[in-house]
Amino acid sequence: MEIKWGIIGVGDVTEVKSGPAFQKIKHSDLVAVMRRDAAKAKDYAERHGVANWYSDAQQLIDDPEVNAVYVATPPDSHVFYASAALRAGKPVYLEKPMTLNATEADELLRLQQTHRGKLTVAHYRREQPYFKKVKELIDSHIGVPRIASLRYHQQPLSAEAMRSPRMQWRLNPTQSGGGLFHDLAPHQIDLMYYFFGNIAFSKGIAHNQAGLYRAADVVSGQILFENDVLFNGQWAFNVAEDSDVCEVIGSEGRISFSVFNYQPIELVNEQGVRRFAFEPPAHVQQPMIAAVVAYFRGEGPNPCTAQEGREVMRVIDSFAGGF
């Protein structure tokens, strides 16, 4: 079976990160796109060689040529569009964060189970070779993992950046769930879940220090995993220097890496210091989309289930949901 995709929401994320990959993977093709702005939908279709375009999502879902749907809209519409596709019997690849909050994630999970549909959450870093290597090193080269720590800092956004349409929805909690933390942290928290497994407990605190927008601009949180690994994370979007560092320390060594910058992975253990360099994929979602195509074709497991997406939303809520 060929997977013939329709994309709901052909915005910035679909230009390079994901959209072209649908046409480069075996047994996959992009046959329809949708955006509420008809002129922009038509323009995207013409530039990317897509046969059909729509300004109404239901028309795309009802297109008989479309047998799988990628929802790439802001999070406030994820439940609506994913539910419509599942009710139509079409599997869904859903952008992160899965939903605005854990309550919505529970709702979507129940609907997916009711309709026995297929749904994969786009926590795509877990399929990239860089992070598969990190997991291999954690599992086999540092003894028993004990501590994981993450520090992600950014300089404050300029006034011009905050005015840009691509940023405004991210800074609006009604649309995004809670600002830049909600945009970026799902990748990082999902990787911790991918590395360490089930979560026993999580808690955190969020605050707005700089007052530049309504959402929290600093977040701190802890996770205790069932395997006794303790995670500490800190996010700040209002400081003088950028930082993207994660470190995992075990009983016999440590690993350090970045989540967004693809810095060489560093392994330190009794054998010395080793570094592993990787180039980011041209289309960062392509490895994940290939795994999703295999899953939708019945040839592989779900690379990130709705249950896993819900667990990530629960952690995000425990860190920043009370802000």
Side-chain angles (χ1 to χ4, degrees):
M1 177 182 73
E2 296 294 306
I3 304 301
K4 297 183 178 181
W5 292 94
I7 300 178
I8 297 175
V10 281
D12 292 337
V13 72
T14 67
E15 288 289 348
V16 177
K17 289 183 177 180
S18 60
F22 293 100
Q23 296 167 306
K24 295 186 175 184
I25 294 165
K26 189 177 180 182
H27 302 301
S28 174
D29 194 16
L30 178 58
V31 300
V33 296
M34 172 269 168
R35 190 164 177 167
R36 286 179 296 178
D37 185 319
K40 290 182 177 180
K42 181 175 183 290
D43 173 68
Y44 186 98
E46 290 175 348
R47 287 188 293 106
H48 291 272
V50 181
N52 300 306
W53 59 269
Y54 300 96
S55 59
D56 181 89
Q58 194 60 50
Q59 289 181 336
L60 179 142
I61 291 169
D62 292 339
D63 185 333
E65 284 294 303
V66 172
N67 62 16
V69 176
Y70 170 37
V71 178
T73 59
D76 63 325
S77 57
H78 282 187
V79 172
F80 180 81
Y81 290 133
S83 298
L86 289 168
R87 290 190 181 100
K90 299 188 177 183
V92 176
Y93 180 50
L94 181 62
E95 261 303 333
K96 62 81 214 162
M98 178 181 177
T99 50
L100 287 175
N101 51 52
T103 300
E104 284 195 351
D106 286 336
E107 174 189 341
L108 186 54
L109 175 59
R110 285 193 296 269
L111 188 140
Q112 179 248 321
Q113 293 172 335
T114 297
H115 289 272
R116 298 183 180 180
K118 291 185 174 182
L119 187 149
T120 299
V121 181
H123 290 142
Y124 55 83
R125 278 176 165 75
R126 55 168 65 191
E127 284 295 321
Q128 291 180 354
Y130 181 97
F131 298 103
K132 285 184 175 291
K133 184 64 175 180
V134 172
K135 181 167 173 54
E136 175 205 327
L137 295 174
I138 290 171
D139 291 345
S140 304
H141 294 271
I142 62 169
V144 179
R146 301 294 194 197
I147 298 291
S149 62
L150 181 143
R151 184 176 70 252
Y152 188 82
H153 295 169
Q154 279 189 8
Q155 297 179 43
L157 294 169
S158 67
E160 180 182 1
M162 286 191 291
R163 286 194 298 268
S164 70
R166 65 182 298 272
M167 188 57 68
Q168 284 184 344
W169 71 262
R170 289 177 167 86
L171 300 178
N172 181 353
T174 303
Q175 284 187 277
S176 66
L180 295 176
F181 172 77
H182 281 65
D183 185 41
L184 298 172
H187 287 301
Q188 298 157 315
I189 293 169
D190 177 70
L191 283 171
M192 298 305 111
Y193 184 34
Y194 171 63
F195 295 151
F196 304 122
N198 291 337
I199 294 164
F201 177 76
S202 65
K203 67 176 182 178
I205 188 168
H207 188 58
N208 186 314
Q209 292 179 324
L212 298 176
Y213 40 78
R214 287 193 293 138
D217 60 9
V218 61
V219 178
S220 179
Q222 294 182 308
I223 304 170
L224 177 63
F225 291 87
E226 289 184 2
N227 66 357
D228 295 325
V229 171
L230 179 64
F231 166 84
N232 288 274
Q234 183 186 84
W235 294 259
F237 302 97
N238 58 11
V239 293
E241 295 183 357
D242 294 342
S243 179
D244 176 10
V245 179
C246 187
E247 185 175 61
V248 180
I249 304 174
S251 60
E252 299 174 18
R254 67 171 175 83
I255 300 163
S256 60
F257 59 97
S258 67
V259 174
F260 297 103
N261 294 329
Y262 297 92
Q263 296 297 313
I265 304 162
E266 182 176 271
L267 168 66
V268 180
N269 59 15
E270 62 181 8
Q271 297 177 6
V273 179
R274 285 178 285 172
R275 293 180 178 87
F276 307 86
F278 289 80
E279 290 293 326
H283 310 292
V284 294
Q285 294 207 34
Q286 186 164 334
M288 183 63 152
I289 293 168
V292 174
V293 168
Y295 169 56
F296 287 178
R297 283 170 49 85
E299 297 174 343
N302 189 341
C304 186
T305 67
Q307 290 92 334
E308 292 172 314
R310 177 190 60 183
E311 289 305 302
V312 171
M313 293 312 305
R314 285 180 173 174
V315 172
I316 287 174
D317 278 7
S318 72
F319 286 5
F323 177 77

